[in-house]
Amino acid sequence: MGWQTRRILDTVGTATGGTQSINYNLEAIEALMITLQADVADGLRPPNATTGGTGPTTFTSTSYGTIATSSTGRLGCTLFNEGAGRLHATLGTSTTSTTLYTISIGSGEYYEVPMNYTGLIGGIFATAGTARVTVLS
């Protein structure tokens, strides 16, 4: 969305002079609105400033567990594996296992959940371990 918005706004600013300028600007604004409506329909939301969050909390489960619940107010989430075990995490409702996961995080590694992902984050440690989880809102 960002580059499209910037391109439209840049072109709107270059059109000047009379009725042609007004029509050109209205067409560009209409195109921007259509793009924004499509982004909202796709579940994308514009970036917001984060002012708070929870954490860090710990996740230590060697059986499937919830790392972070679904939250429409979540702007971001970070995972840091400070333990010896390997953390397997899944974005979505699928049960995570050591063979079915979205990301595998080794000891000392850090992962940022994609911006604007607000769904469930589940996980499991292959062997005993500890992860620090920070949820930004």
Side-chain angles (χ1 to χ4, degrees), residues 26-47:
L26 289 176
E27 288 173 11
I29 291 168
E30 183 180 17
L32 174 61
M33 293 305 295
I34 290 169
T35 300
L36 291 173
Q37 287 171 342
D39 286 345
V40 169
D42 289 342
L44 299 176
R45 56 189 178 134

Side-chain angles (χ1 to χ4, degrees), residues 9-116:
L9 291 175
D10 288 345
T11 57
V12 167
T14 60
T16 59
T19 305
Q20 183 178 1
S21 173
I22 292 170
N23 290 337
Y24 182 80
N25 286 341
L26 289 176
E27 288 173 11
I29 291 168
E30 183 180 17
L32 174 61
M33 293 305 295
I34 290 169
T35 300
L36 291 173
Q37 287 171 342
D39 286 345
V40 169
D42 289 342
L44 299 176
R45 56 189 178 134
N48 298 312
T50 181
T51 58
T54 60
T57 60
T58 57
F59 178 81
T60 60
S61 184
T62 55
S63 60
Y64 174 77
T66 298
I67 294 174
T69 59
S70 296
S71 172
T72 57
R74 182 173 65 222
L75 299 177
C77 183
T78 64
L79 308 174
F80 176 71
N81 183 358
E82 68 179 16
R86 179 166 282 279
L87 173 64
H88 298 86
T90 300
L91 305 181
T93 57
S94 297
T95 300
T96 309
S97 71
T98 58
T99 58
L100 177 64
Y101 54 85
T102 302
I103 186 79
S104 179
I105 308 168
S107 179
E109 293 179 349
Y110 169 84
Y111 177 71
E112 289 184 3
V113 174
M115 184 177 177
N116 292 327

